[in-house]
Each structure stands twice: as C-alpha cells, then as structure tokens.
Amino acid sequence: MVDILDYKILEILQENNLIPQRDIGDAIGLSAPAVQRRIKKMRESGIIEKDVSIINRDMLGNTITIIVEVFLDSEKLEHILTIKNEFSVVAEIQQCYYVTGESDFFLVMVVSSMKEYEELSKKLFIDNSNIKRFRTIVSMGIDKTSLKIPLSNKLG
Amino acid sequence: MVDILDYKILEILQENNLIPQRDIGDAIGLSAPAVQRRIKKMRESGIIEKDVSIINRDMLGNTITIIVEVFLDSEKLEHILTIKNEFSVVAEIQQCYYVTGESDFFLVMVVSSMKEYEELSKKLFIDNSNIKRFRTIVSMGIDKTSLKIPLSNKLG
DNA sequence: AATGAAATGAGAGCGCG
DNA sequence: CGCGCTCTCATTTCATT
C-alpha cells in the first residue's frame, strides 16, 4: 500500500507541504510527476487527510491553553455521545480524548482569557447534568505542539 | 496589524492551504494579488508559522494515543529544562504541556503498540531520576484533533 | 504498474496604474 | 487596491522498462 518512498514523502509533507514536487523528487530520488502521482493517491485514499496552515496562536491573543479532565456522572453510552456532540461544535475545544479509568474525557482548550474559560466551563461543565466534576489544568507553556506522526522508524 | 480580512484568510487557510488565492479572494471580496500580499505578510511576520499536510495516523498503524501526567521530584528550573530537552527529541511525544498544580507536565504521545509505550516509558520516566511518578491515561478514541485556532469571534 | 521526458495548463508572484 | 504580465510549478500525455 504505502512503501518507503511514500513514507519519505509524508515525512517531508508533514513538515512543509508547499515545497515543490521537484525538490521532493530530488530529495528521494524520483521525478516530479512520480512524486505528484504518489501524493495524489495518498490524498485520495485519505492517508493525507488535509493540507493546512499552522497559525501562531500567541500572536492572535489566544494565549491560554487549558487541559480539562472530565468525570461523567455515569458512563452510559448515550451520555457520552451527547457530550461528544456538545463538545464537537465548540471552537475553543481543540482536542477531545475519550479515555477510560478514573475519568472519561480529556480536553485541550484554547482561550484568550480566564474570563472566557470561566464562562465556557460554566456552560459546558457546571450546567451540564451529565458531568459529575471536572479538573482544570492551566498550562504555563507549551514546548511542543505538532500533530506530526512518528515515521522515522519506517524509513528503513 | 491583522484586520478582519486577515482573520477570514486565516480561517480559510487553517482548513485548506492549497486553495487558490483567487478562490480566497472571491470568498472574502478581494482580488487574488491582494490576498497574496496579505498571506505573504503573515508568513513573514510569523502569524502563519508553517504549512503542512495532516496525515491519518490510524492508516499508518500509529493507532494508540496516550496522555501522560508527569510528576517531578523537584521543581528546580534546571530539571525542567533538562526534561524539556529530553522530551523534545522524542518523535512519539506529539505535545508537551508544562503545567502547575499537582503535576508538572502533560504529554500526548502516539505509539503503534503498548509494547512500544512500555519501552518508551521505561526509558523516559522510570529510568529518569528527576521524575517522581507518572500517570498513564490511554485514550480509547479521539473525537477531535485539530490545532485550529478559534477565530470565529473575531470575524465580526 | 510505475517511471521519466516533454508538453500543457493553472496559479503564484511580480510591476504597473 | 486591482489589472495584466511573466514565470514557476502542478498536471497531463505519451513512450518506455
């Protein structure tokens, strides 16, 4: 399905997707059209999900990152789906992880002020009868944020 | 610095950065060269950090997401810097949040097997004298993963 | 089936008014 | 800021292995 050359292409693209295909070809020993075809296939198959610009949130005032550990009142499936749907439409919720163990969800949220978070948490958590309690963890800084997939072990 | 039109451009680009500038212009009522000039400025100023492909990790076998809560032995600054540097080179650590409160770090890791995580956690946490203890939270599924910055409240 | 070379076409990057 | 040009690059065609 995907061979080593594809992995090498992905490794490059998840760092920079505006690089000319000719340069990719030079880097991995392939012609530009060959690279083009491989990329096209991977887009069609969904291996490459999308192509986006990464924006510096600090420069736009969205400087506060908050991790929220959410404890549900019961783990009935309907509640989980309901809550997922509620979370899915909230732009400030960047990431939503469904976990098992003590808690049920981990969220990563981005807000521009604590006031904004207080209002959001009231609406999302306090006023939500399905949620038993929640734990707010304010991040003091982020050292690493990338959705890059580790591929180095696949490059042969 | 950045006006409403810039926000609209960013809103589009963080969803799709391969869309022609002409289409962006049509969407926001601007000519393609005007869009291009704005994008160029935002790239130079760093508001647009980078442009990347988003890869579907599930299709590549990196199916396990693990959240790790790390408790340091002491909060001396040197230790924090040391640990940051250790984490920064580990490809499987996708995200590293420095927090205050009970714990000191939250990590989001991506691995292809629990065996891989066990080996990594031994090397990174157990054999690390600066780390007092760590809590492993295995994610059963991700509903939302995007690094998109909430801009909707700035679009007027 | 996948490749590379050459040809085509779309779009980015300029100067101009 | 918009218009029009140029030139790079993406994409297609085609022959080859």
Side-chain angles (χ1 to χ4, degrees), chain B residues 78-113:
Chain B
E78 319 92 71
H79 294 169
I80 290 175
L81 288 175
T82 304
I83 288 177
K84 279 182 181 179
N85 289 335
E86 287 171 10
F87 289 166
S88 68
V89 295
V90 181
E92 286 80 5
I93 299 179
Q94 271 200 332
Q95 304 169 48
C96 173
Y97 300 92
Y98 169 42
V99 302
T100 55
E102 308 166 48
S103 52
D104 299 289
F105 285 101
F106 268 86
L107 308 179
V108 177
M109 298 181 63
V110 171
V111 292
S112 47
S113 68

PDB file of all heavy atoms in Angstrom, chain B residues 78-113:
ATOM      1  N   GLU B  78      16.405  23.822  36.549  1.00  0.00           N
ATOM      2  CA  GLU B  78      17.343  23.044  35.719  1.00  0.00           C
ATOM      3  C   GLU B  78      16.734  21.707  35.318  1.00  0.00           C
ATOM      4  O   GLU B  78      16.878  21.264  34.190  1.00  0.00           O
ATOM      5  CB  GLU B  78      18.658  22.769  36.466  1.00  0.00           C
ATOM      6  CG  GLU B  78      19.193  23.928  37.269  1.00  0.00           C
ATOM      7  CD  GLU B  78      18.705  23.880  38.703  1.00  0.00           C
ATOM      8  OE1 GLU B  78      19.152  23.012  39.443  1.00  0.00           O
ATOM      9  OE2 GLU B  78      17.849  24.723  39.062  1.00  0.00           O
ATOM     10  N   HIS B  79      16.036  21.120  36.245  1.00  0.00           N
ATOM     11  CA  HIS B  79      15.436  19.824  35.944  1.00  0.00           C
ATOM     12  C   HIS B  79      14.375  19.956  34.871  1.00  0.00           C
ATOM     13  O   HIS B  79      14.268  19.134  33.977  1.00  0.00           O
ATOM     14  CB  HIS B  79      14.829  19.217  37.215  1.00  0.00           C
ATOM     15  CG  HIS B  79      15.853  18.877  38.237  1.00  0.00           C
ATOM     16  ND1 HIS B  79      15.546  18.523  39.523  1.00  0.00           N
ATOM     17  CD2 HIS B  79      17.213  18.834  38.162  1.00  0.00           C
ATOM     18  CE1 HIS B  79      16.652  18.283  40.194  1.00  0.00           C
ATOM     19  NE2 HIS B  79      17.670  18.471  39.391  1.00  0.00           N
ATOM     20  N   ILE B  80      13.601  21.015  34.983  1.00  0.00           N
ATOM     21  CA  ILE B  80      12.551  21.220  33.990  1.00  0.00           C
ATOM     22  C   ILE B  80      13.156  21.397  32.609  1.00  0.00           C
ATOM     23  O   ILE B  80      12.710  20.795  31.634  1.00  0.00           O
ATOM     24  CB  ILE B  80      11.688  22.437  34.375  1.00  0.00           C
ATOM     25  CG1 ILE B  80      10.860  22.092  35.620  1.00  0.00           C
ATOM     26  CG2 ILE B  80      10.778  22.833  33.222  1.00  0.00           C
ATOM     27  CD1 ILE B  80      10.061  23.254  36.148  1.00  0.00           C
ATOM     28  N   LEU B  81      14.206  22.195  32.534  1.00  0.00           N
ATOM     29  CA  LEU B  81      14.847  22.394  31.233  1.00  0.00           C
ATOM     30  C   LEU B  81      15.442  21.102  30.711  1.00  0.00           C
ATOM     31  O   LEU B  81      15.317  20.775  29.532  1.00  0.00           O
ATOM     32  CB  LEU B  81      15.937  23.467  31.350  1.00  0.00           C
ATOM     33  CG  LEU B  81      15.402  24.895  31.514  1.00  0.00           C
ATOM     34  CD1 LEU B  81      16.557  25.873  31.735  1.00  0.00           C
ATOM     35  CD2 LEU B  81      14.598  25.301  30.285  1.00  0.00           C
ATOM     36  N   THR B  82      16.077  20.358  31.609  1.00  0.00           N
ATOM     37  CA  THR B  82      16.658  19.082  31.200  1.00  0.00           C
ATOM     38  C   THR B  82      15.594  18.161  30.630  1.00  0.00           C
ATOM     39  O   THR B  82      15.767  17.556  29.560  1.00  0.00           O
ATOM     40  CB  THR B  82      17.316  18.391  32.414  1.00  0.00           C
ATOM     41  OG1 THR B  82      18.278  19.286  32.978  1.00  0.00           O
ATOM     42  CG2 THR B  82      18.000  17.098  31.998  1.00  0.00           C
ATOM     43  N   ILE B  83      14.500  18.081  31.348  1.00  0.00           N
ATOM     44  CA  ILE B  83      13.436  17.183  30.898  1.00  0.00           C
ATOM     45  C   ILE B  83      12.820  17.668  29.593  1.00  0.00           C
ATOM     46  O   ILE B  83      12.557  16.874  28.678  1.00  0.00           O
ATOM     47  CB  ILE B  83      12.380  17.063  32.007  1.00  0.00           C
ATOM     48  CG1 ILE B  83      12.968  16.233  33.156  1.00  0.00           C
ATOM     49  CG2 ILE B  83      11.101  16.427  31.478  1.00  0.00           C
ATOM     50  CD1 ILE B  83      12.060  16.100  34.337  1.00  0.00           C
ATOM     51  N   LYS B  84      12.606  18.962  29.481  1.00  0.00           N
ATOM     52  CA  LYS B  84      12.103  19.514  28.220  1.00  0.00           C
ATOM     53  C   LYS B  84      12.976  19.088  27.059  1.00  0.00           C
ATOM     54  O   LYS B  84      12.491  18.675  26.006  1.00  0.00           O
ATOM     55  CB  LYS B  84      12.071  21.042  28.294  1.00  0.00           C
ATOM     56  CG  LYS B  84      10.868  21.625  29.002  1.00  0.00           C
ATOM     57  CD  LYS B  84      10.939  23.143  28.968  1.00  0.00           C
ATOM     58  CE  LYS B  84       9.764  23.756  29.701  1.00  0.00           C
ATOM     59  NZ  LYS B  84       9.830  25.245  29.712  1.00  0.00           N
ATOM     60  N   ASN B  85      14.277  19.197  27.269  1.00  0.00           N
ATOM     61  CA  ASN B  85      15.197  18.839  26.191  1.00  0.00           C
ATOM     62  C   ASN B  85      15.122  17.351  25.880  1.00  0.00           C
ATOM     63  O   ASN B  85      15.175  16.964  24.719  1.00  0.00           O
ATOM     64  CB  ASN B  85      16.626  19.220  26.586  1.00  0.00           C
ATOM     65  CG  ASN B  85      16.822  20.720  26.575  1.00  0.00           C
ATOM     66  OD1 ASN B  85      16.108  21.440  25.871  1.00  0.00           O
ATOM     67  ND2 ASN B  85      17.778  21.195  27.355  1.00  0.00           N
ATOM     68  N   GLU B  86      14.984  16.543  26.912  1.00  0.00           N
ATOM     69  CA  GLU B  86      14.854  15.108  26.674  1.00  0.00           C
ATOM     70  C   GLU B  86      13.603  14.802  25.854  1.00  0.00           C
ATOM     71  O   GLU B  86      13.630  14.034  24.908  1.00  0.00           O
ATOM     72  CB  GLU B  86      14.795  14.357  28.010  1.00  0.00           C
ATOM     73  CG  GLU B  86      16.127  14.277  28.741  1.00  0.00           C
ATOM     74  CD  GLU B  86      15.985  13.717  30.143  1.00  0.00           C
ATOM     75  OE1 GLU B  86      14.876  13.216  30.471  1.00  0.00           O
ATOM     76  OE2 GLU B  86      16.952  13.782  30.904  1.00  0.00           O
ATOM     77  N   PHE B  87      12.506  15.438  26.247  1.00  0.00           N
ATOM     78  CA  PHE B  87      11.241  15.180  25.561  1.00  0.00           C
ATOM     79  C   PHE B  87      11.254  15.683  24.119  1.00  0.00           C
ATOM     80  O   PHE B  87      10.631  15.096  23.243  1.00  0.00           O
ATOM     81  CB  PHE B  87      10.093  15.859  26.313  1.00  0.00           C
ATOM     82  CG  PHE B  87       9.756  15.197  27.626  1.00  0.00           C
ATOM     83  CD1 PHE B  87       8.950  15.847  28.556  1.00  0.00           C
ATOM     84  CD2 PHE B  87      10.236  13.937  27.937  1.00  0.00           C
ATOM     85  CE1 PHE B  87       8.636  15.243  29.762  1.00  0.00           C
ATOM     86  CE2 PHE B  87       9.926  13.327  29.148  1.00  0.00           C
ATOM     87  CZ  PHE B  87       9.121  13.990  30.060  1.00  0.00           C
ATOM     88  N   SER B  88      11.956  16.777  23.905  1.00  0.00           N
ATOM     89  CA  SER B  88      11.839  17.456  22.615  1.00  0.00           C
ATOM     90  C   SER B  88      12.316  16.606  21.453  1.00  0.00           C
ATOM     91  O   SER B  88      11.896  16.810  20.323  1.00  0.00           O
ATOM     92  CB  SER B  88      12.620  18.771  22.647  1.00  0.00           C
ATOM     93  OG  SER B  88      14.008  18.502  22.736  1.00  0.00           O
ATOM     94  N   VAL B  89      13.207  15.662  21.737  1.00  0.00           N
ATOM     95  CA  VAL B  89      13.766  14.874  20.644  1.00  0.00           C
ATOM     96  C   VAL B  89      13.025  13.559  20.423  1.00  0.00           C
ATOM     97  O   VAL B  89      13.385  12.791  19.539  1.00  0.00           O
ATOM     98  CB  VAL B  89      15.263  14.572  20.893  1.00  0.00           C
ATOM     99  CG1 VAL B  89      16.063  15.860  20.889  1.00  0.00           C
ATOM    100  CG2 VAL B  89      15.449  13.826  22.190  1.00  0.00           C
ATOM    101  N   VAL B  90      12.004  13.305  21.236  1.00  0.00           N
ATOM    102  CA  VAL B  90      11.273  12.043  21.105  1.00  0.00           C
ATOM    103  C   VAL B  90      10.108  12.228  20.143  1.00  0.00           C
ATOM    104  O   VAL B  90       9.168  12.972  20.436  1.00  0.00           O
ATOM    105  CB  VAL B  90      10.767  11.563  22.477  1.00  0.00           C
ATOM    106  CG1 VAL B  90      10.021  10.249  22.340  1.00  0.00           C
ATOM    107  CG2 VAL B  90      11.928  11.429  23.443  1.00  0.00           C
ATOM    108  N   ALA B  91      10.174  11.558  19.022  1.00  0.00           N
ATOM    109  CA  ALA B  91       9.162  11.763  17.982  1.00  0.00           C
ATOM    110  C   ALA B  91       7.785  11.351  18.461  1.00  0.00           C
ATOM    111  O   ALA B  91       6.780  11.933  18.047  1.00  0.00           O
ATOM    112  CB  ALA B  91       9.536  10.975  16.727  1.00  0.00           C
ATOM    113  N   GLU B  92       7.719  10.358  19.339  1.00  0.00           N
ATOM    114  CA  GLU B  92       6.420   9.862  19.789  1.00  0.00           C
ATOM    115  C   GLU B  92       5.701  10.857  20.707  1.00  0.00           C
ATOM    116  O   GLU B  92       4.498  10.740  20.913  1.00  0.00           O
ATOM    117  CB  GLU B  92       6.597   8.516  20.508  1.00  0.00           C
ATOM    118  CG  GLU B  92       6.898   7.361  19.579  1.00  0.00           C
ATOM    119  CD  GLU B  92       8.365   7.319  19.166  1.00  0.00           C
ATOM    120  OE1 GLU B  92       9.152   8.140  19.689  1.00  0.00           O
ATOM    121  OE2 GLU B  92       8.725   6.487  18.319  1.00  0.00           O
ATOM    122  N   ILE B  93       6.434  11.776  21.280  1.00  0.00           N
ATOM    123  CA  ILE B  93       5.799  12.823  22.085  1.00  0.00           C
ATOM    124  C   ILE B  93       5.325  13.919  21.144  1.00  0.00           C
ATOM    125  O   ILE B  93       6.097  14.718  20.648  1.00  0.00           O
ATOM    126  CB  ILE B  93       6.766  13.393  23.140  1.00  0.00           C
ATOM    127  CG1 ILE B  93       7.206  12.274  24.090  1.00  0.00           C
ATOM    128  CG2 ILE B  93       6.098  14.527  23.915  1.00  0.00           C
ATOM    129  CD1 ILE B  93       8.177  12.736  25.162  1.00  0.00           C
ATOM    130  N   GLN B  94       4.038  13.935  20.924  1.00  0.00           N
ATOM    131  CA  GLN B  94       3.476  14.911  19.993  1.00  0.00           C
ATOM    132  C   GLN B  94       3.335  16.275  20.629  1.00  0.00           C
ATOM    133  O   GLN B  94       3.537  17.294  19.995  1.00  0.00           O
ATOM    134  CB  GLN B  94       2.086  14.446  19.548  1.00  0.00           C
ATOM    135  CG  GLN B  94       2.078  13.560  18.348  1.00  0.00           C
ATOM    136  CD  GLN B  94       0.711  13.571  17.706  1.00  0.00           C
ATOM    137  OE1 GLN B  94      -0.301  13.785  18.353  1.00  0.00           O
ATOM    138  NE2 GLN B  94       0.679  13.355  16.410  1.00  0.00           N
ATOM    139  N   GLN B  95       2.921  16.260  21.883  1.00  0.00           N
ATOM    140  CA  GLN B  95       2.655  17.527  22.552  1.00  0.00           C
ATOM    141  C   GLN B  95       3.196  17.460  23.969  1.00  0.00           C
ATOM    142  O   GLN B  95       3.131  16.428  24.619  1.00  0.00           O
ATOM    143  CB  GLN B  95       1.154  17.803  22.596  1.00  0.00           C
ATOM    144  CG  GLN B  95       0.497  17.803  21.225  1.00  0.00           C
ATOM    145  CD  GLN B  95      -1.018  17.807  21.325  1.00  0.00           C
ATOM    146  OE1 GLN B  95      -1.601  18.590  22.069  1.00  0.00           O
ATOM    147  NE2 GLN B  95      -1.654  16.920  20.590  1.00  0.00           N
ATOM    148  N   CYS B  96       3.696  18.589  24.431  1.00  0.00           N
ATOM    149  CA  CYS B  96       4.255  18.682  25.778  1.00  0.00           C
ATOM    150  C   CYS B  96       3.766  19.966  26.422  1.00  0.00           C
ATOM    151  O   CYS B  96       4.108  21.057  25.979  1.00  0.00           O
ATOM    152  CB  CYS B  96       5.776  18.652  25.708  1.00  0.00           C
ATOM    153  SG  CYS B  96       6.584  18.951  27.289  1.00  0.00           S
ATOM    154  N   TYR B  97       2.924  19.829  27.460  1.00  0.00           N
ATOM    155  CA  TYR B  97       2.385  20.988  28.159  1.00  0.00           C
ATOM    156  C   TYR B  97       3.027  21.077  29.534  1.00  0.00           C
ATOM    157  O   TYR B  97       3.028  20.103  30.295  1.00  0.00           O
ATOM    158  CB  TYR B  97       0.863  20.857  28.312  1.00  0.00           C
ATOM    159  CG  TYR B  97       0.123  20.763  27.007  1.00  0.00           C
ATOM    160  CD1 TYR B  97      -0.164  19.523  26.440  1.00  0.00           C
ATOM    161  CD2 TYR B  97      -0.285  21.905  26.325  1.00  0.00           C
ATOM    162  CE1 TYR B  97      -0.846  19.432  25.236  1.00  0.00           C
ATOM    163  CE2 TYR B  97      -0.961  21.830  25.125  1.00  0.00           C
ATOM    164  CZ  TYR B  97      -1.240  20.590  24.591  1.00  0.00           C
ATOM    165  OH  TYR B  97      -1.902  20.497  23.393  1.00  0.00           O
ATOM    166  N   TYR B  98       3.550  22.238  29.841  1.00  0.00           N
ATOM    167  CA  TYR B  98       4.124  22.483  31.159  1.00  0.00           C
ATOM    168  C   TYR B  98       3.037  23.105  32.019  1.00  0.00           C
ATOM    169  O   TYR B  98       2.476  24.140  31.669  1.00  0.00           O
ATOM    170  CB  TYR B  98       5.341  23.417  30.999  1.00  0.00           C
ATOM    171  CG  TYR B  98       5.874  23.949  32.287  1.00  0.00           C
ATOM    172  CD1 TYR B  98       5.994  23.146  33.411  1.00  0.00           C
ATOM    173  CD2 TYR B  98       6.290  25.271  32.380  1.00  0.00           C
ATOM    174  CE1 TYR B  98       6.494  23.641  34.587  1.00  0.00           C
ATOM    175  CE2 TYR B  98       6.796  25.784  33.557  1.00  0.00           C
ATOM    176  CZ  TYR B  98       6.893  24.961  34.658  1.00  0.00           C
ATOM    177  OH  TYR B  98       7.381  25.451  35.833  1.00  0.00           O
ATOM    178  N   VAL B  99       2.715  22.447  33.124  1.00  0.00           N
ATOM    179  CA  VAL B  99       1.590  22.915  33.939  1.00  0.00           C
ATOM    180  C   VAL B  99       2.034  23.119  35.387  1.00  0.00           C
ATOM    181  O   VAL B  99       3.115  22.699  35.796  1.00  0.00           O
ATOM    182  CB  VAL B  99       0.425  21.906  33.901  1.00  0.00           C
ATOM    183  CG1 VAL B  99      -0.044  21.678  32.482  1.00  0.00           C
ATOM    184  CG2 VAL B  99       0.812  20.589  34.552  1.00  0.00           C
ATOM    185  N   THR B 100       1.187  23.768  36.151  1.00  0.00           N
ATOM    186  CA  THR B 100       1.450  23.879  37.589  1.00  0.00           C
ATOM    187  C   THR B 100       0.273  23.301  38.343  1.00  0.00           C
ATOM    188  O   THR B 100      -0.828  23.184  37.816  1.00  0.00           O
ATOM    189  CB  THR B 100       1.646  25.340  38.021  1.00  0.00           C
ATOM    190  OG1 THR B 100       0.511  26.101  37.609  1.00  0.00           O
ATOM    191  CG2 THR B 100       2.889  25.923  37.405  1.00  0.00           C
ATOM    192  N   GLY B 101       0.513  22.958  39.596  1.00  0.00           N
ATOM    193  CA  GLY B 101      -0.509  22.311  40.386  1.00  0.00           C
ATOM    194  C   GLY B 101       0.053  21.005  40.895  1.00  0.00           C
ATOM    195  O   GLY B 101       1.224  20.920  41.262  1.00  0.00           O
ATOM    196  N   GLU B 102      -0.758  19.980  40.889  1.00  0.00           N
ATOM    197  CA  GLU B 102      -0.280  18.687  41.387  1.00  0.00           C
ATOM    198  C   GLU B 102       0.875  18.148  40.561  1.00  0.00           C
ATOM    199  O   GLU B 102       1.857  17.647  41.086  1.00  0.00           O
ATOM    200  CB  GLU B 102      -1.425  17.673  41.365  1.00  0.00           C
ATOM    201  CG  GLU B 102      -2.694  18.139  42.064  1.00  0.00           C
ATOM    202  CD  GLU B 102      -3.860  17.239  41.707  1.00  0.00           C
ATOM    203  OE1 GLU B 102      -3.677  16.011  41.778  1.00  0.00           O
ATOM    204  OE2 GLU B 102      -4.937  17.754  41.350  1.00  0.00           O
ATOM    205  N   SER B 103       0.723  18.271  39.255  1.00  0.00           N
ATOM    206  CA  SER B 103       1.716  17.682  38.367  1.00  0.00           C
ATOM    207  C   SER B 103       2.464  18.777  37.611  1.00  0.00           C
ATOM    208  O   SER B 103       2.162  19.955  37.737  1.00  0.00           O
ATOM    209  CB  SER B 103       1.044  16.723  37.394  1.00  0.00           C
ATOM    210  OG  SER B 103      -0.040  17.363  36.752  1.00  0.00           O
ATOM    211  N   ASP B 104       3.435  18.343  36.815  1.00  0.00           N
ATOM    212  CA  ASP B 104       4.323  19.315  36.180  1.00  0.00           C
ATOM    213  C   ASP B 104       4.280  19.290  34.655  1.00  0.00           C
ATOM    214  O   ASP B 104       4.552  20.289  34.028  1.00  0.00           O
ATOM    215  CB  ASP B 104       5.751  19.055  36.660  1.00  0.00           C
ATOM    216  CG  ASP B 104       5.874  19.225  38.150  1.00  0.00           C
ATOM    217  OD1 ASP B 104       5.807  20.358  38.613  1.00  0.00           O
ATOM    218  OD2 ASP B 104       5.995  18.200  38.857  1.00  0.00           O
ATOM    219  N   PHE B 105       3.972  18.141  34.095  1.00  0.00           N
ATOM    220  CA  PHE B 105       3.885  18.047  32.643  1.00  0.00           C
ATOM    221  C   PHE B 105       2.668  17.222  32.248  1.00  0.00           C
ATOM    222  O   PHE B 105       2.291  16.271  32.941  1.00  0.00           O
ATOM    223  CB  PHE B 105       5.123  17.348  32.052  1.00  0.00           C
ATOM    224  CG  PHE B 105       6.351  18.180  32.017  1.00  0.00           C
ATOM    225  CD1 PHE B 105       7.346  18.018  32.965  1.00  0.00           C
ATOM    226  CD2 PHE B 105       6.536  19.126  31.019  1.00  0.00           C
ATOM    227  CE1 PHE B 105       8.494  18.786  32.934  1.00  0.00           C
ATOM    228  CE2 PHE B 105       7.680  19.895  30.975  1.00  0.00           C
ATOM    229  CZ  PHE B 105       8.668  19.727  31.935  1.00  0.00           C
ATOM    230  N   PHE B 106       2.112  17.571  31.135  1.00  0.00           N
ATOM    231  CA  PHE B 106       1.180  16.687  30.442  1.00  0.00           C
ATOM    232  C   PHE B 106       1.748  16.416  29.056  1.00  0.00           C
ATOM    233  O   PHE B 106       2.130  17.350  28.343  1.00  0.00           O
ATOM    234  CB  PHE B 106      -0.213  17.317  30.316  1.00  0.00           C
ATOM    235  CG  PHE B 106      -1.131  16.960  31.442  1.00  0.00           C
ATOM    236  CD1 PHE B 106      -1.142  17.693  32.611  1.00  0.00           C
ATOM    237  CD2 PHE B 106      -1.999  15.885  31.334  1.00  0.00           C
ATOM    238  CE1 PHE B 106      -1.981  17.373  33.656  1.00  0.00           C
ATOM    239  CE2 PHE B 106      -2.852  15.555  32.370  1.00  0.00           C
ATOM    240  CZ  PHE B 106      -2.842  16.303  33.536  1.00  0.00           C
ATOM    241  N   LEU B 107       1.803  15.154  28.714  1.00  0.00           N
ATOM    242  CA  LEU B 107       2.285  14.789  27.394  1.00  0.00           C
ATOM    243  C   LEU B 107       1.173  14.105  26.619  1.00  0.00           C
ATOM    244  O   LEU B 107       0.324  13.425  27.199  1.00  0.00           O
ATOM    245  CB  LEU B 107       3.473  13.818  27.496  1.00  0.00           C
ATOM    246  CG  LEU B 107       4.637  14.211  28.395  1.00  0.00           C
ATOM    247  CD1 LEU B 107       5.696  13.114  28.376  1.00  0.00           C
ATOM    248  CD2 LEU B 107       5.247  15.522  27.944  1.00  0.00           C
ATOM    249  N   VAL B 108       1.194  14.287  25.326  1.00  0.00           N
ATOM    250  CA  VAL B 108       0.351  13.491  24.436  1.00  0.00           C
ATOM    251  C   VAL B 108       1.283  12.702  23.539  1.00  0.00           C
ATOM    252  O   VAL B 108       2.108  13.281  22.828  1.00  0.00           O
ATOM    253  CB  VAL B 108      -0.598  14.366  23.590  1.00  0.00           C
ATOM    254  CG1 VAL B 108      -1.403  13.494  22.638  1.00  0.00           C
ATOM    255  CG2 VAL B 108      -1.516  15.176  24.490  1.00  0.00           C
ATOM    256  N   MET B 109       1.176  11.397  23.613  1.00  0.00           N
ATOM    257  CA  MET B 109       2.087  10.546  22.860  1.00  0.00           C
ATOM    258  C   MET B 109       1.321   9.688  21.850  1.00  0.00           C
ATOM    259  O   MET B 109       0.163   9.353  22.062  1.00  0.00           O
ATOM    260  CB  MET B 109       2.867   9.626  23.812  1.00  0.00           C
ATOM    261  CG  MET B 109       3.729  10.401  24.792  1.00  0.00           C
ATOM    262  SD  MET B 109       4.685   9.338  25.905  1.00  0.00           S
ATOM    263  CE  MET B 109       5.744   8.474  24.762  1.00  0.00           C
ATOM    264  N   VAL B 110       1.995   9.347  20.788  1.00  0.00           N
ATOM    265  CA  VAL B 110       1.416   8.481  19.761  1.00  0.00           C
ATOM    266  C   VAL B 110       2.336   7.301  19.551  1.00  0.00           C
ATOM    267  O   VAL B 110       3.511   7.472  19.246  1.00  0.00           O
ATOM    268  CB  VAL B 110       1.238   9.243  18.432  1.00  0.00           C
ATOM    269  CG1 VAL B 110       0.855   8.296  17.321  1.00  0.00           C
ATOM    270  CG2 VAL B 110       0.194  10.325  18.583  1.00  0.00           C
ATOM    271  N   VAL B 111       1.802   6.098  19.762  1.00  0.00           N
ATOM    272  CA  VAL B 111       2.612   4.896  19.578  1.00  0.00           C
ATOM    273  C   VAL B 111       1.817   3.877  18.767  1.00  0.00           C
ATOM    274  O   VAL B 111       0.600   3.986  18.612  1.00  0.00           O
ATOM    275  CB  VAL B 111       3.017   4.277  20.932  1.00  0.00           C
ATOM    276  CG1 VAL B 111       3.982   5.185  21.675  1.00  0.00           C
ATOM    277  CG2 VAL B 111       1.790   3.995  21.778  1.00  0.00           C
ATOM    278  N   SER B 112       2.538   2.873  18.280  1.00  0.00           N
ATOM    279  CA  SER B 112       1.871   1.875  17.459  1.00  0.00           C
ATOM    280  C   SER B 112       1.528   0.620  18.253  1.00  0.00           C
ATOM    281  O   SER B 112       0.813  -0.243  17.742  1.00  0.00           O
ATOM    282  CB  SER B 112       2.742   1.520  16.243  1.00  0.00           C
ATOM    283  OG  SER B 112       4.064   1.282  16.647  1.00  0.00           O
ATOM    284  N   SER B 113       2.030   0.515  19.467  1.00  0.00           N
ATOM    285  CA  SER B 113       1.702  -0.654  20.285  1.00  0.00           C
ATOM    286  C   SER B 113       1.971  -0.324  21.744  1.00  0.00           C
ATOM    287  O   SER B 113       2.741   0.582  22.057  1.00  0.00           O
ATOM    288  CB  SER B 113       2.546  -1.859  19.865  1.00  0.00           C
ATOM    289  OG  SER B 113       3.902  -1.641  20.204  1.00  0.00           O
TER     290      SER B 113
END
